[in-house]
Amino acid sequence: MSEDTMFLWQSVLVGIGITFVYDLLRIVRRVISHRQWVVSLEDLFFWLCCTVFVFWWMYRVTNGGMRWFAVAGALTGMCLYKRLVSVPLVTYVSKLLQGILRIVGKVVRLLLRPFQAVGKSMARKREAFNQHKRKIAGNLKIWLKNWWKVLKIRLCKR
C-alpha cells in the first residue's frame, strides 16, 4: 500500500475517532442534564481540542504539508460512523446508563433510609430543644426585669 493510501485510511480513522469521542460526550449529556451555556462551552472546548489534534497529526505525518484528501477522508469517516453506528450507540448506551443510575439511586436511597430516620429524630429533638431554649430565655428576661425593678427600688430608697 502506498504512503498516501495509508494516510487516507488514517484520516478516515481519525474522523471515526473524533465522532466516537463526540458521541461519548453526547451520552454524558443525555445521562446528566446540562445547561445550554455548559453545552456550548463543552462543544467549543471539544472542537478546539480536535482542531489542535488534527493539525498536529497532519503536521507530524505530512511534515507540515496540507493534504486536502486527508480532510476529505476524515469527513468520510465521520459521515460513515454517523450513519452506521452513532444513533444506536448513543441511544442504547445512554438508556443503559440511565437504567444503571436509576438502580444505583434506589440502592443508595435504601441504604440511607436508617440515616434519614436518625436525622428526622435529631431534627425533632433540636426543635424541642430550641423551644425549651426560647422558654428559658423568656423566663430569664422576665426574671431580669423583675430583678432590675427591685434593684432600682433599693437604690432609690437610699
Side-chain angles (χ1 to χ4, degrees):
M1 229 189 281
S2 72
E3 191 175 310
D4 285 340
T5 307
M6 282 299 290
F7 185 60
L8 177 64
W9 284 112
Q10 286 177 351
S11 65
V12 169
L13 289 176
V14 165
I16 290 171
I18 288 171
T19 312
F20 175 73
V21 173
Y22 191 73
D23 278 349
L24 294 178
L25 186 61
R26 288 176 56 209
I27 290 169
V28 169
R29 288 177 185 164
R30 283 190 180 192
V31 174
I32 303 168
S33 64
H34 290 64
R35 293 180 183 247
Q36 185 60 42
W37 68 271
V38 175
V39 171
S40 299
L41 197 63
E42 286 172 349
D43 279 345
L44 177 69
F45 182 71
F46 174 79
W47 288 113
L48 284 174
C49 288
C50 286
T51 303
V52 169
F53 170 74
V54 167
F55 280 110
W56 169 80
W57 170 72
M58 287 181 74
Y59 179 79
R60 187 178 56 87
V61 172
T62 63
N63 295 324
M66 181 67 171
R67 306 251 175 105
W68 287 104
F69 70 88
V71 175
L75 288 174
T76 302
M78 288 176 157
C79 289
L80 282 173
Y81 178 86
K82 190 79 172 154
R83 295 246 181 219
L84 300 175
V85 179
S86 182
V87 173
L89 177 79
V90 172
T91 303
Y92 295 126
V93 171
S94 51
K95 283 183 181 180
L96 176 71
L97 288 176
Q98 287 170 347
I100 290 171
L101 285 178
R102 196 174 309 117
I103 291 169
V104 168
K106 287 180 181 180
V107 168
V108 167
R109 279 192 295 277
L110 184 68
L111 292 175
L112 290 179
R113 191 170 288 159
F115 296 107
Q116 289 174 339
V118 169
K120 286 180 183 179
S121 172
M122 290 182 71
R124 283 192 297 268
K125 288 180 182 180
R126 185 180 66 234
E127 183 57 36
F129 175 74
N130 286 339
Q131 287 176 354
H132 184 67
K133 188 171 62 172
R134 283 192 293 269
K135 185 176 179 181
I136 289 174
N139 290 339
L140 182 64
K141 184 177 176 183
I142 292 170
W143 181 79
L144 285 173
K145 276 185 182 179
N146 291 336
W147 183 78
W148 183 251
K149 284 181 186 177
V150 169
L151 182 66
K152 279 180 20 182
I153 291 173
R154 285 192 182 167
L155 288 175
C156 289
K157 283 186 177 180
R158 290 184 183 202

